[in-house]
C-alpha cells in the first residue's frame, strides 16, 4: 500500500474503496474512511454506491474489472453478496453475513467485522471482562448474528436471545449452539432474564431516529450495576440508555461498534493500524445537530 503524505490526492495511482447498500445516501462510512486515508497518508478514496439487489453480480464483476480494492456491504446485501464472492472467511461463513470484501488481485474475499467491532468497543468502553458474564441480546436480525458469534468467543456463562419473532431467536441460538451456551426466549420471559443479566444489549431498531421515545425493554428490570448496551448510534444516547443510566447502569452506545467495524475493514485492506480516534472524531462531528 503506498503512502503519499497527508491529504487525499486523487491521481492515477489512487486506490478505490466504497460501500454498497440500498438506501445508502445517509451513510457515514465515506466521511469516516476518507478521514482514515487522509490521516494515514494512504492514496485512497472511498465512496458510496447505491446498488439494487438485482445488480449484485454486476457490481462484483465491476469490482474485479476496475480493481476496486475494498468494499463494505450494508443493508440489504450482507447475505446476498456471499453468492458472488470467491472465498468467505470461516467466521463470516458461520455468522452467515459479509460486511467487508477484500479484492486480492481479482479474488473477492468476504469477512464480517460487525461482531468483532462491537466486542472491541464493548470491552474498551464499558466492560473489559466478558468471561463468565450472563448476557441478554434483544433482537435476532443481521446485526445480532455477528454480535452473538463474537460474544460467544469471549466465554460468557450464557447468552440469552429474545426476539419479537421468537422462532428467529431460536434459529439463531441453534445455529451458534456449538460456540457457547446460547438460549432463545420469548419476550414474556425477558423481564426475568434481564433481572439476572450482567449485560443487556439492544440489537433491534427500536429507539432509532425518528422514533427516539421508543425503548425495547423497561430499564428498571436491569440490575443497577449491569451494563446497558445499544447498537443504535442515532441518537447517540437512546431512551433505553437514558433510562438505564438513570437507574444506575453503565451505558454503552453504538458509535464505537460503527467505528471499529470500519477500523477492522481498513486494517484488512491496508495492513496498517486504523486511526480510530480520528475516525470517531469525524463521525461524531457529523452527528452533532
Ligand atoms: P434487521 O436484520 O432488520 O433486524 C431488526 C431486528 O429488530 C429484528 O430482531 C426485529 O425483530 C427487531 N425489530 C424491528 N422492529 C421492531 C419492533 N417494532 N419491535 C420489536 N422488535 C423489532 O436489522 P439489523 O441489521 O440487525 O440492525 C438492527 C439495529 O442495529 C439497527 O438499529 C441498526 O442501525 C443497528 N446497527 C448498528 C450498527 C453499528 O455499527 N452501530 C451496525 C449494524 C446495525 P423481528 O425479527 O421480529 O422482525
Amino acid at each position: 500500500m503506498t503512502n503519499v503524505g497527508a491529504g487525499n490526492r486523487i491521481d492515477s495511482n489512487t486506490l478505490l474503496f466504497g460501500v454498497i447498500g440500498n438506501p445508502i445516501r445517509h451513510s457515514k462510512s465515506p466521511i469516516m474512511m476518507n478521514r482514515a486515508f487522509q490521516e494515514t497518508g494512504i492514496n485512497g478514496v472511498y465512496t458510496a454506491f447505491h446498488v439494487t439487489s438485482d445488480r449484485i453480480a454486476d457490481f462484483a464483476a465491476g469490482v474485479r474489472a476496475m480493481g476496486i480494492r475494498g468494499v463494505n456491504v450494508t443493508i440489504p446485501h450482507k447475505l446476498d453478496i456471499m453468492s458472488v464472492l470467491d472465498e468467505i472467511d470461516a467466521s463470516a461463513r458461520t455468522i452467515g453475513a459479509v460486511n467487508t470484501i477484500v479484492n486480492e488481485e481479482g479474488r473477492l474475499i468476504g469477512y464480517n467485522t460487525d461482531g468483532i467491532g462491537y466486542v472491541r468497543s464493548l470491552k474498551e468502553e464499558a466492560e473489559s471482562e466478558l468471561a463468565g458474564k450472563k448476557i441478554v441480546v434483544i433482537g435476532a436480525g443481521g446485526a445480532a448474528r455477528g454480535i452473538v458469534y463474537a460474544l460467544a468467543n469471549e466465554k460468557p456463562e450464557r447468552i440469552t436471545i429474545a426476539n419479537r419473532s421468537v422462532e428467529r431467536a431460536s434459529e439463531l441460538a441453534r445455529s451458534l449452539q456449538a460456540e457457547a451456551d446460547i438460549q432463545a426466549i420469548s419476550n414474556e420471559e425477558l423481564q426475568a432474564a434481564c433481572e439476572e443479566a450482567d449485560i443487556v444489549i439492544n440489537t433491534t431498531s427500536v429507539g432509532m431516529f425518528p422514533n427516539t421515545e421508543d425503548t425495547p425493554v423497561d430499564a428498571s428490570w436491569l440490575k443497577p450495576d449491569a451494563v446497558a448496551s445499544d447498537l443504535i448510534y442515532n441518537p447517540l444516547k437512546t431512551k433505553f440508555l437514558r433510562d438505564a443510566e438513570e437507574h444506575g447502569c453503565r451505558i454503552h452506545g453504538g458509535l464505537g461498534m460503527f467505528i471499529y467495524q470500519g477500523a477492522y475493514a481498513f486494517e484488512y485492506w491496508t495492513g496498517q493500524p486504523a486511526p480510530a480516534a480520528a475516525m470517531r472524531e469525524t463521525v461524531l462531528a457529523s452527528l452533532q445537530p
Side-chain angles (χ1 to χ4, degrees), residues 139-143 163-165 168 203-206 208 231 254 257-258:
N163 193 45
R164 178 174 60 178
S165 335
R168 216 172 166 197
T203 75
T204 76
S205 43
V206 178
M208 192 161 74
L231 264 55
M257 170 180 176
F258 179 66

Side-chain angles (χ1 to χ4, degrees), residues 251-270:
I251 61 167
H252 170 246
L255 182 65
M257 170 180 176
F258 179 66
I259 304 303
Y260 285 124
Q261 61 78 31
Y264 279 117
F266 179 94
E267 288 166 10
Y268 284 142
W269 296 328
T270 67

Side-chain angles (χ1 to χ4, degrees), residues 219 223-226 242-251:
K223 292 192 290 191
D225 61 344
R242 282 186 271 128
D243 291 351
E245 188 173 46
E246 224 164 79
H247 186 59
C249 299
R250 284 172 286 157
I251 61 167

Side-chain angles (χ1 to χ4, degrees), residues 87-270:
E87 196 180 317
I88 296 167
D89 161 75
S91 40
R93 210 174 320 118
T94 307
I95 292 164
V98 159
N99 80 324
T100 299
I101 302 170
V102 181
N103 181 357
E104 293 290 3
E105 293 173 356
R107 277 186 68 73
L108 303 190
I109 307 169
Y111 297 90
N112 190 309
T113 67
D114 280 334
I116 52 175
Y118 172 78
V119 166
R120 180 157 155 192
S121 158
L122 180 67
K123 288 172 83 167
E124 282 188 12
E125 296 162 33
E127 177 56 73
S128 58
E129 185 56 71
L130 302 179
K133 295 290 193 300
K134 296 189 189 80
I135 303 176
V136 169
V137 174
I138 306 170
R145 295 193 69 84
I147 280 168
V148 171
Y149 176 83
L151 288 169
N153 284 334
E154 298 291 324
K155 313 239 173 311
E157 181 177 321
R158 182 166 69 232
I159 301 174
T160 306
I161 308 167
N163 193 45
R164 178 174 60 178
S165 335
V166 68
E167 42 318 329
R168 216 172 166 197
S170 303
E171 197 279 318
L172 176 55
R174 238 189 339 267
S175 70
L176 296 176
Q177 219 163 38
E179 316 292 330
D181 178 356
I182 307 176
Q183 305 170 351
I185 58 166
S186 65
N187 276 343
E188 287 70 52
E189 299 162 282
L190 186 55
Q191 179 169 0
C194 285
E195 284 169 356
E196 285 211 327
D198 301 303
I199 304 168
V200 176
I201 306 164
N202 175 36
T203 75
T204 76
S205 43
V206 178
M208 192 161 74
F209 181 84
N211 303 311
T212 53
E213 287 311 306
D214 293 350
T215 181
V217 66
D218 186 337
S220 70
W221 295 347
L222 274 63
K223 292 192 290 191
D225 61 344
V227 173
S229 172
D230 204 321
L231 264 55
I232 294 170
Y233 61 88
N234 186 12
L236 289 166
K237 207 190 270 185
T238 57
K239 177 164 170 55
F240 169 49
L241 295 187
R242 282 186 271 128
D243 291 351
E245 188 173 46
E246 224 164 79
H247 186 59
C249 299
R250 284 172 286 157
I251 61 167
H252 170 246
L255 182 65
M257 170 180 176
F258 179 66
I259 304 303
Y260 285 124
Q261 61 78 31
Y264 279 117
F266 179 94
E267 288 166 10
Y268 284 142
W269 296 328
T270 67

